[in-house]
Amino acid sequence: MSAILIPEGRQYVTDTTAQRKLGQAAITEDGRMWRYCEKSAAAAVVGDLQQSAAADANMDELVITTALLTVGAKTFIFTGQTPTAVAANYLAQGYVNVESGPGAGFLYKIDNHLAIAAGTAANTINLENGAIVVWTTSTLVGVKPHPYKAVVLSPTSITGPVVGVAPLAIPASAFGWLQVKGEASVVTEDTLVLGDDTRRSTDTAGALTFLDRDLASEDFPSLGEVLEVNATTEWSRIALHVSGFI
């Protein structure tokens, strides 16, 4: 997906219905980068980190009951694990990862699906493009919504990847832009040092904190460089770079 150019100010406009594909990349003329998202049932706070919806372990290692028997086939049926039930098209624009068995190693885009019932063997998902390699009933798959579907405040206990910073208070269940690269105003906590790297905080939800590469946090990805230091729980200027989404 190519990045589109949006005028300065468009990043502060939210939509009640989707106007772009989830994850659409955008650039403002100054080089800052954005991704289009759908907010969860809780509104965003300006300057807070957002992460993907929490991963659901019950959507992994799913058993195929009707396989993609031919190359190019787009529909498969699987057994839903208890207790997970999923509303129709919640996974649309998301992904199917073929985890093991025939066809393993391919990632497919989800086009649409009916409601998924927990614990039943007749759940159907339709792919955007057909199978590259034939699946069998020995194939196991994992299904996930798009990373920018129903994004949530970055919690202190990590349940998904950081996907950006909210440039405004995106209303609950609305659509809007998250910043992923460039100069940003972000809530920070603890003692920052000009020029140092930052990471997501595990003490303050939605905040960045310093990245100390000599402590247990050294395995955290850097999310940006400090451009201006402000008091803890205030908004600091950060040269943002959300790894994996720029």
Side-chain angles (χ1 to χ4, degrees):
M1 182 184 295
S2 299
I4 59 172
L5 183 67
I6 57 173
E8 177 61 30
R10 183 63 180 85
Q11 69 268 32
Y12 301 122
V13 177
T14 61
D15 305 307
T16 55
T17 58
Q19 301 300 305
R20 305 282 182 185
K21 292 284 190 181
L22 293 175
Q24 169 70 63
I27 301 176
T28 40
E29 289 184 344
D30 59 1
R32 287 176 295 163
M33 247 182 144
W34 314 83
R35 291 286 194 130
Y36 196 69
C37 76
E38 179 184 2
K39 196 65 186 73
S40 67
V45 174
V46 60
D48 272 359
L49 291 178
Q50 304 293 307
Q51 72 152 49
S52 292
D56 185 348
N58 288 315
M59 300 307 285
D60 278 333
E61 303 290 316
L62 298 173
V63 176
I64 302 298
T65 53
T66 301
L68 294 168
L69 299 178
T70 60
V71 171
K74 295 184 177 181
T75 299
F76 68 94
I77 299 174
F78 67 94
T79 299
Q81 293 196 40
T82 304
T84 297
V86 179
N89 287 329
Y90 177 79
L91 300 171
Q93 301 184 57
Y95 300 96
V96 177
N97 180 37
V98 187
E99 298 173 336
S100 66
F106 285 91
L107 187 75
Y108 296 95
K109 191 86 176 287
I110 297 171
D111 184 47
N112 63 78
H113 64 88
L114 299 175
I116 294 172
T120 66
N123 297 293
T124 300
I125 283 182
N126 299 303
L127 306 177
E128 279 197 12
N129 294 296
I132 306 300
V133 176
V134 170
W135 301 3
T136 74
T137 50
S138 297
T139 300
L140 296 178
V141 302
V143 295
K144 295 290 185 292
H146 194 282
Y148 285 93
K149 171 77 173 181
V151 300
V152 299
L153 178 72
S154 175
T156 55
S157 297
I158 297 170
T159 57
V162 169
V163 291
V165 172
L168 79 162
I170 303 173
S173 303
F175 297 84
W177 298 96
L178 297 180
Q179 188 172 353
V180 295
K181 185 178 182 180
E183 190 164 325
S185 180
V186 188
V187 174
T188 55
E189 60 96 22
D190 218 320
T191 303
L192 301 182
V193 177
L194 189 68
D196 273 6
D197 281 338
T198 60
R199 64 170 176 89
R200 70 195 299 175
S201 173
T202 52
D203 295 317
T204 302
L208 284 175
T209 189
F210 68 93
L211 175 55
D212 191 331
R213 300 192 184 278
D214 296 323
L215 298 175
S217 63
E218 64 183 352
D219 292 333
F220 282 58
S222 170
L223 294 176
E225 181 180 337
V226 178
L227 298 177
E228 180 185 28
V229 179
N230 287 311
T232 187
T233 69
E234 291 188 351
W235 285 254
S236 300
R237 283 196 303 123
I238 303 293
L240 192 68
H241 52 82
V242 177
S243 57
F245 297 100
I246 57 175

